[in-house]
Amino acid sequence: MHVRPIARLAALILAAALSAGPARAEAPPDVVASVKPVHSLVAAVMEGVGEPHLLVRGAANPHAFSLKPSDARALEGAELVFWMGPALETFLERPLTALGADARTVALLEAPGLNRRPTRAAGAWASGHDHAHGVAEHGTAEVALAAVDGHAWLDPRNAGAMADAILAALVEADPARAERYRANAARLSARLAELDAELERTLAPVRQRPFVVFHDAYHYLEDRYGLNGVGALTVSPDRPPGAARLGEIRARIRGLGAACVFAEPQFEPALVDTVVAGTEARRGVLDPEGAALPDGPELYFSLMRANARALADCLGG
């Protein structure tokens, strides 16, 4: 039996339609994130949709980072770039102009509702933490971006403000997936509130114990939980302190009875060994960026819990 030509044509059209399946949705936007905590928050809001490209991977130092060719390609193709801003990732200023000109860049230090704190001078801090390159810390609603500490994610309330800015940018760039982004962001917000309460409980017993950090990256953590940081060995980890500053810190450790001096995993601990010699201070390790932690949505929570445990263990030991 012969199939009529028109019937054969109809069968071919039906077969082609069935084999094609439903129309493919438009691809999600190409997104780049600068450092691991930023990447973690972006990945949490994008979960189930796409994976942002991380620039500063592993234990690399964002204060002295050089882009790889793969990073340059990612920036060239990006529709959205999330970073803290030039106060932290100075290496990104020129590439964002040269390579990411077609991308929307979101500087999260400018997120609405984010509490900005000033960078403090290296060495010993005066009572009240008022050594802030001439910028008074308390009673100041806004801190000039030129003097701001870029590690704002170390206050979970700031992480919430950052997540809101991330959500707004993603919804604008990809409205078709707005409901998924909103659901992810709502879940993230609830988890951040739970984390904040957990860290409060962990750190409350050691609030009054004085300590010294490797570099001034923990201003937000100290402010949020009322911790008693009394000095930093250096303003930036790529600027080693001189002998006079080390002597000043050692004297402050002795004078205040500082319980701990905290190194960071990316850097040689020799400076910490030098400064604690002849004092009663213990050694600990804090990590502002999650150098040894796996990338992804859980990194932020692992990072904050690890730092809280390190503080509680060393200061309470």
Side-chain angles (χ1 to χ4, degrees), residues 61 63 121-123 125 211-218 222 231-241 245-246 249 260-273 275 284-288:
N61 175 12
H63 300 278
W125 298 323
F211 63 93
V212 170
V213 295
F214 181 77
H215 87 288
D216 185 25
Y218 307 95
E222 293 168 34
L233 300 186
T234 179
V235 172
S236 177
D238 56 340
R239 299 179 200 164
R245 185 168 294 154
L246 291 176
I249 287 287
C260 293
V261 177
F262 290 96
E264 293 182 12
Q266 304 97 311
F267 307 106
E268 291 292 329
L271 282 177
V272 173
D273 293 338
V275 84
V285 176
L286 292 175
D287 181 3

Side-chain angles (χ1 to χ4, degrees), residues 148-236:
V148 76
D149 179 353
H151 304 84
W153 60 80
L154 289 174
D155 179 342
R157 298 172 303 181
N158 277 349
M162 291 163 61
D164 289 344
I166 291 164
L167 171 64
L170 285 168
V171 167
E172 183 178 339
D174 187 19
R177 296 177 178 85
E179 288 310 306
R180 182 60 182 266
Y181 295 135
R182 290 191 181 105
N184 287 344
R187 188 161 51 250
L188 175 59
S189 178
R191 292 190 67 196
L192 289 171
E194 291 171 2
L195 175 70
D196 189 27
E198 176 189 331
L199 299 184
E200 178 75 32
R201 292 190 299 270
T202 300
L203 294 169
V206 296
R207 273 198 185 112
Q208 302 306 317
R209 303 298 303 280
F211 63 93
V212 170
V213 295
F214 181 77
H215 87 288
D216 185 25
Y218 307 95
H219 201 166
Y220 297 95
L221 192 65
E222 293 168 34
D223 273 11
R224 175 66 190 102
Y225 302 107
L227 301 174
N228 190 17
V230 296
L233 300 186
T234 179
V235 172
S236 177

Side-chain angles (χ1 to χ4, degrees), residues 61-157:
N61 175 12
H63 300 278
F65 184 75
S66 297
L67 289 172
K68 302 175 181 64
S70 59
D71 299 324
R73 288 193 295 272
L75 283 173
E76 283 181 317
E79 296 166 64
L80 277 173
V81 179
F82 293 101
W83 66 322
M84 295 306 296
L88 184 79
E89 309 100 320
T90 53
F91 74 91
L92 261 181
E93 289 186 88
R94 284 188 179 180
L96 284 179
T97 301
L99 300 174
D102 295 330
R104 179 186 172 189
T105 62
V106 181
L108 293 173
L109 278 173
E110 299 178 37
L114 186 135
N115 175 34
R116 298 203 295 259
R117 307 313 300 154
T119 303
R120 295 169 292 195
W125 298 323
S127 177
H129 298 175
D130 57 3
H131 281 49
H133 295 309
V135 182
E137 175 183 353
H138 299 294
T140 304
E142 288 292 319
V143 176
L145 283 175
V148 76
D149 179 353
H151 304 84
W153 60 80
L154 289 174
D155 179 342
R157 298 172 303 181

Side-chain angles (χ1 to χ4, degrees), residues 237-302:
D238 56 340
R239 299 179 200 164
R245 185 168 294 154
L246 291 176
E248 178 190 10
I249 287 287
R250 189 182 292 112
R252 191 151 179 84
I253 290 170
R254 289 197 186 108
L256 292 175
C260 293
V261 177
F262 290 96
E264 293 182 12
Q266 304 97 311
F267 307 106
E268 291 292 329
L271 282 177
V272 173
D273 293 338
T274 298
V275 84
V276 300
T279 76
E280 300 275 326
R282 290 181 290 276
R283 300 166 181 81
V285 176
L286 292 175
D287 181 3
E289 287 141 23
L293 297 174
D295 310 335
E298 290 303 313
L299 176 137
Y300 180 79
F301 296 91
S302 300

